[in-house]
Amino acid sequence: TFLCSKKKYKDFEMKFQVRLKGGIGNSGIQVRSTVHDMEKFAVTGPQCDIGTGWWGSLYGENFGGMMKAADKEKIGKVLKAEDFNDYAIKVVGKKVTITVNGETAVDEEFEKLPEEGIIAFQVHGGPQMEVTFKNVEFKEGK
């Protein structure tokens, strides 16, 4: 399931706070992605992960699997499993930077990163979960 932009974006920055109620669930933000099945609410492309064991990772949803796993130990030290976490994403050219509570999780270039695409707030299938996003800030361009 997802909530996506109508517009396609190239370079952008976004910051928000996110909480998985009870620390349960798996969510993420799709960047430069495409909708491949509107009936199943399925997307294809890079996803900035939000979920136990995956916080801050960049995963290729229907796009080849893990692109860059965040250091679980490093992110685990700053993560508030059952509270709101500060999450930031910056995409410029082929470079993706993801930070969780000020700690850099991903900061590198990805050759297969699409040139542009939608942004989608995404929730994985599985057990029932509640994900809350707040204080979303978005800035297009470099």
Side-chain angles (χ1 to χ4, degrees):
T1 305
F2 62 85
L3 172 67
C4 67
S5 64
K6 291 180 180 179
K7 180 179 175 182
K8 292 181 180 178
Y9 293 92
K10 292 183 181 183
D11 297 344
F12 66 90
E13 289 182 65
M14 70 184 298
K15 297 176 183 178
F16 53 89
Q17 293 179 303
V18 59
R19 177 187 66 201
L20 296 171
K21 187 175 183 182
I24 299 166
N26 189 336
S27 181
I29 302 290
Q30 294 288 144
V31 300
R32 291 192 186 168
S33 295
T34 58
V35 176
H36 76 257
D37 189 337
M38 187 55 96
E39 288 182 18
K40 293 183 180 177
F41 299 106
V43 290
T44 295
Q47 173 189 291
C48 304
D49 262 324
I50 298 166
T52 303
W54 306 111
W55 280 90
S57 296
L58 186 66
Y59 182 80
E61 184 74 24
N62 300 306
F63 193 68
M66 188 56 70
M67 296 170 71
K68 175 69 177 181
D71 182 325
K72 292 178 189 178
E73 189 174 316
K74 185 169 96 168
I75 298 304
K77 289 179 182 176
V78 299
L79 188 67
K80 297 175 272 186
E82 296 188 31
D83 200 356
F84 281 96
N85 291 275
D86 295 323
Y87 203 106
I89 303 165
K90 184 176 182 179
V91 180
V92 178
K94 295 287 185 184
K95 186 174 184 179
V96 176
T97 305
I98 302 170
T99 61
V100 178
N101 293 328
E103 187 68 59
T104 301
V106 172
D107 187 29
E108 61 185 68
E109 294 196 3
F110 298 90
E111 196 54 44
K112 72 177 193 172
L113 192 71
E115 188 175 309
E116 69 175 11
I118 63 163
I119 296 168
F121 291 79
Q122 186 255 10
V123 177
H124 277 283
Q128 186 173 355
M129 66 189 87
E130 182 180 317
V131 184
T132 305
F133 293 91
K134 69 178 187 177
N135 301 323
V136 178
E137 296 178 27
F138 185 86
K139 184 169 71 173
E140 188 175 3
K142 295 180 183 180

mmCIF file of all heavy atoms in Angstrom, residues 1 3 8 11 15 26 35 41 48 61 71 84 88 92 98 110 121 125 130 136-137:
data_model
loop_
_atom_site.group_PDB
_atom_site.id
_atom_site.type_symbol
_atom_site.label_atom_id
_atom_site.label_comp_id
_atom_site.label_asym_id
_atom_site.label_seq_id
_atom_site.Cartn_x
_atom_site.Cartn_y
_atom_site.Cartn_z
ATOM 1 N N THR A 1 0.841 -1.177 0.000
ATOM 2 C CA THR A 1 0.000 0.000 0.000
ATOM 3 C C THR A 1 0.883 1.236 0.000
ATOM 4 O O THR A 1 1.939 1.235 0.629
ATOM 5 C CB THR A 1 -0.902 0.013 1.247
ATOM 6 O OG1 THR A 1 -1.622 -1.210 1.280
ATOM 7 C CG2 THR A 1 -1.865 1.171 1.207
ATOM 8 N N LEU A 3 1.047 5.862 -0.740
ATOM 9 C CA LEU A 3 0.514 7.176 -1.055
ATOM 10 C C LEU A 3 1.593 7.840 -1.882
ATOM 11 O O LEU A 3 2.723 7.997 -1.405
ATOM 12 C CB LEU A 3 0.252 7.967 0.232
ATOM 13 C CG LEU A 3 -0.143 9.432 0.071
ATOM 14 C CD1 LEU A 3 -1.503 9.545 -0.590
ATOM 15 C CD2 LEU A 3 -0.154 10.118 1.424
ATOM 16 N N LYS A 8 6.660 13.600 -11.053
ATOM 17 C CA LYS A 8 7.943 12.902 -10.983
ATOM 18 C C LYS A 8 9.003 13.910 -10.547
ATOM 19 O O LYS A 8 8.957 15.075 -10.936
ATOM 20 C CB LYS A 8 8.313 12.307 -12.337
ATOM 21 C CG LYS A 8 7.412 11.170 -12.755
ATOM 22 C CD LYS A 8 7.841 10.604 -14.094
ATOM 23 C CE LYS A 8 6.926 9.458 -14.487
ATOM 24 N NZ LYS A 8 7.298 8.911 -15.808
ATOM 25 N N ASP A 11 16.036 15.753 -8.457
ATOM 26 C CA ASP A 11 16.785 16.050 -7.242
ATOM 27 C C ASP A 11 15.864 16.669 -6.191
ATOM 28 O O ASP A 11 15.035 17.527 -6.511
ATOM 29 C CB ASP A 11 17.933 17.014 -7.537
ATOM 30 C CG ASP A 11 18.962 16.421 -8.500
ATOM 31 O OD1 ASP A 11 18.957 15.191 -8.707
ATOM 32 O OD2 ASP A 11 19.774 17.194 -9.033
ATOM 33 N N LYS A 15 12.699 15.837 4.758
ATOM 34 C CA LYS A 15 12.930 15.530 6.165
ATOM 35 C C LYS A 15 11.572 15.306 6.805
ATOM 36 O O LYS A 15 10.592 15.942 6.433
ATOM 37 C CB LYS A 15 13.635 16.692 6.874
ATOM 38 C CG LYS A 15 15.008 17.005 6.342
ATOM 39 C CD LYS A 15 15.590 18.218 7.030
ATOM 40 C CE LYS A 15 16.939 18.560 6.418
ATOM 41 N NZ LYS A 15 17.521 19.752 7.029
ATOM 42 N N ASN A 26 7.061 -2.454 8.829
ATOM 43 C CA ASN A 26 8.084 -2.199 7.829
ATOM 44 C C ASN A 26 7.491 -1.233 6.822
ATOM 45 O O ASN A 26 6.515 -1.541 6.150
ATOM 46 C CB ASN A 26 8.497 -3.514 7.165
ATOM 47 C CG ASN A 26 9.715 -3.350 6.277
ATOM 48 O OD1 ASN A 26 10.003 -2.260 5.801
ATOM 49 N ND2 ASN A 26 10.425 -4.431 6.054
ATOM 50 N N VAL A 35 4.896 3.340 -10.465
ATOM 51 C CA VAL A 35 3.823 2.433 -10.065
ATOM 52 C C VAL A 35 3.752 1.359 -11.147
ATOM 53 O O VAL A 35 3.579 1.673 -12.309
ATOM 54 C CB VAL A 35 2.471 3.165 -9.957
ATOM 55 C CG1 VAL A 35 1.350 2.177 -9.636
ATOM 56 C CG2 VAL A 35 2.540 4.265 -8.914
ATOM 57 N N PHE A 41 -1.447 -1.752 -5.725
ATOM 58 C CA PHE A 41 -0.690 -0.674 -5.084
ATOM 59 C C PHE A 41 0.784 -1.060 -4.962
ATOM 60 O O PHE A 41 1.377 -0.978 -3.885
ATOM 61 C CB PHE A 41 -1.262 -0.318 -3.710
ATOM 62 C CG PHE A 41 -2.682 0.167 -3.767
ATOM 63 C CD1 PHE A 41 -3.721 -0.638 -3.338
ATOM 64 C CD2 PHE A 41 -2.981 1.418 -4.266
ATOM 65 C CE1 PHE A 41 -5.036 -0.195 -3.389
ATOM 66 C CE2 PHE A 41 -4.284 1.873 -4.325
ATOM 67 C CZ PHE A 41 -5.310 1.068 -3.897
ATOM 68 N N CYS A 48 13.834 3.952 0.643
ATOM 69 C CA CYS A 48 14.560 4.279 1.872
ATOM 70 C C CYS A 48 13.790 3.602 3.006
ATOM 71 O O CYS A 48 12.659 3.972 3.294
ATOM 72 C CB CYS A 48 14.626 5.788 2.059
ATOM 73 S SG CYS A 48 15.361 6.639 0.634
ATOM 74 N N GLU A 61 12.981 -2.025 -4.399
ATOM 75 C CA GLU A 61 11.675 -2.696 -4.389
ATOM 76 C C GLU A 61 11.308 -3.111 -5.811
ATOM 77 O O GLU A 61 11.151 -2.257 -6.686
ATOM 78 C CB GLU A 61 10.609 -1.752 -3.823
ATOM 79 C CG GLU A 61 9.243 -2.357 -3.680
ATOM 80 C CD GLU A 61 9.141 -3.323 -2.509
ATOM 81 O OE1 GLU A 61 9.927 -3.216 -1.550
ATOM 82 O OE2 GLU A 61 8.265 -4.188 -2.564
ATOM 83 N N ASP A 71 24.382 0.226 8.391
ATOM 84 C CA ASP A 71 25.081 -0.448 9.486
ATOM 85 C C ASP A 71 24.102 -0.546 10.659
ATOM 86 O O ASP A 71 23.814 0.451 11.332
ATOM 87 C CB ASP A 71 26.321 0.350 9.866
ATOM 88 C CG ASP A 71 27.145 -0.298 10.965
ATOM 89 O OD1 ASP A 71 26.571 -0.925 11.876
ATOM 90 O OD2 ASP A 71 28.383 -0.147 10.918
ATOM 91 N N PHE A 84 9.243 8.626 17.858
ATOM 92 C CA PHE A 84 9.510 9.295 16.589
ATOM 93 C C PHE A 84 11.010 9.421 16.359
ATOM 94 O O PHE A 84 11.766 9.728 17.276
ATOM 95 C CB PHE A 84 8.853 10.680 16.562
ATOM 96 C CG PHE A 84 7.382 10.607 16.270
ATOM 97 C CD1 PHE A 84 6.465 10.607 17.301
ATOM 98 C CD2 PHE A 84 6.924 10.527 14.962
ATOM 99 C CE1 PHE A 84 5.101 10.527 17.041
ATOM 100 C CE2 PHE A 84 5.571 10.441 14.685
ATOM 101 C CZ PHE A 84 4.657 10.445 15.723
ATOM 102 N N ALA A 88 15.977 11.773 7.192
ATOM 103 C CA ALA A 88 16.240 12.711 6.102
ATOM 104 C C ALA A 88 16.741 11.955 4.882
ATOM 105 O O ALA A 88 17.513 10.994 4.997
ATOM 106 C CB ALA A 88 17.262 13.755 6.529
ATOM 107 N N VAL A 92 20.538 13.590 -5.210
ATOM 108 C CA VAL A 92 21.108 14.528 -6.176
ATOM 109 C C VAL A 92 21.896 13.722 -7.203
ATOM 110 O O VAL A 92 22.838 13.017 -6.845
ATOM 111 C CB VAL A 92 22.038 15.561 -5.494
ATOM 112 C CG1 VAL A 92 22.650 16.496 -6.538
ATOM 113 C CG2 VAL A 92 21.273 16.368 -4.452
ATOM 114 N N ILE A 98 20.964 9.138 3.200
ATOM 115 C CA ILE A 98 19.890 8.868 4.163
ATOM 116 C C ILE A 98 20.481 9.025 5.559
ATOM 117 O O ILE A 98 21.535 8.455 5.855
ATOM 118 C CB ILE A 98 19.343 7.431 4.015
ATOM 119 C CG1 ILE A 98 18.821 7.182 2.597
ATOM 120 C CG2 ILE A 98 18.246 7.169 5.053
ATOM 121 C CD1 ILE A 98 18.492 5.723 2.315
ATOM 122 N N PHE A 110 24.689 5.540 -6.896
ATOM 123 C CA PHE A 110 24.128 4.286 -7.387
ATOM 124 C C PHE A 110 23.895 4.427 -8.884
ATOM 125 O O PHE A 110 23.028 5.184 -9.309
ATOM 126 C CB PHE A 110 22.813 3.964 -6.663
ATOM 127 C CG PHE A 110 22.999 3.770 -5.189
ATOM 128 C CD1 PHE A 110 22.904 4.850 -4.315
ATOM 129 C CD2 PHE A 110 23.317 2.524 -4.677
ATOM 130 C CE1 PHE A 110 23.106 4.681 -2.952
ATOM 131 C CE2 PHE A 110 23.512 2.344 -3.314
ATOM 132 C CZ PHE A 110 23.415 3.426 -2.452
ATOM 133 N N PHE A 121 5.016 7.215 -0.020
ATOM 134 C CA PHE A 121 5.045 6.732 1.358
ATOM 135 C C PHE A 121 4.491 5.314 1.274
ATOM 136 O O PHE A 121 3.366 5.109 0.823
ATOM 137 C CB PHE A 121 4.168 7.602 2.257
ATOM 138 C CG PHE A 121 4.711 8.984 2.470
ATOM 139 C CD1 PHE A 121 4.553 9.973 1.509
ATOM 140 C CD2 PHE A 121 5.381 9.301 3.639
ATOM 141 C CE1 PHE A 121 5.056 11.251 1.711
ATOM 142 C CE2 PHE A 121 5.884 10.574 3.848
ATOM 143 C CZ PHE A 121 5.721 11.550 2.888
ATOM 144 N N GLY A 125 3.322 -5.311 3.161
ATOM 145 C CA GLY A 125 2.301 -6.249 3.591
ATOM 146 C C GLY A 125 2.797 -6.968 4.839
ATOM 147 O O GLY A 125 3.935 -6.824 5.244
ATOM 148 N N GLU A 130 0.910 0.284 12.364
ATOM 149 C CA GLU A 130 0.541 1.691 12.314
ATOM 150 C C GLU A 130 1.818 2.500 12.172
ATOM 151 O O GLU A 130 2.720 2.410 13.005
ATOM 152 C CB GLU A 130 -0.191 2.103 13.593
ATOM 153 C CG GLU A 130 -0.637 3.551 13.589
ATOM 154 C CD GLU A 130 -1.370 3.941 14.859
ATOM 155 O OE1 GLU A 130 -2.218 3.145 15.323
ATOM 156 O OE2 GLU A 130 -1.070 5.023 15.384
ATOM 157 N N VAL A 136 6.627 16.796 7.850
ATOM 158 C CA VAL A 136 7.276 16.515 6.568
ATOM 159 C C VAL A 136 7.672 17.832 5.896
ATOM 160 O O VAL A 136 6.845 18.727 5.728
ATOM 161 C CB VAL A 136 6.336 15.702 5.644
ATOM 162 C CG1 VAL A 136 6.997 15.455 4.295
ATOM 163 C CG2 VAL A 136 5.923 14.396 6.300
ATOM 164 N N GLU A 137 8.944 17.931 5.545
ATOM 165 C CA GLU A 137 9.472 19.075 4.799
ATOM 166 C C GLU A 137 10.040 18.545 3.499
ATOM 167 O O GLU A 137 10.752 17.536 3.485
ATOM 168 C CB GLU A 137 10.584 19.782 5.580
ATOM 169 C CG GLU A 137 10.129 20.396 6.882
ATOM 170 C CD GLU A 137 11.287 21.036 7.640
ATOM 171 O OE1 GLU A 137 12.272 21.461 6.989
ATOM 172 O OE2 GLU A 137 11.205 21.087 8.869
#
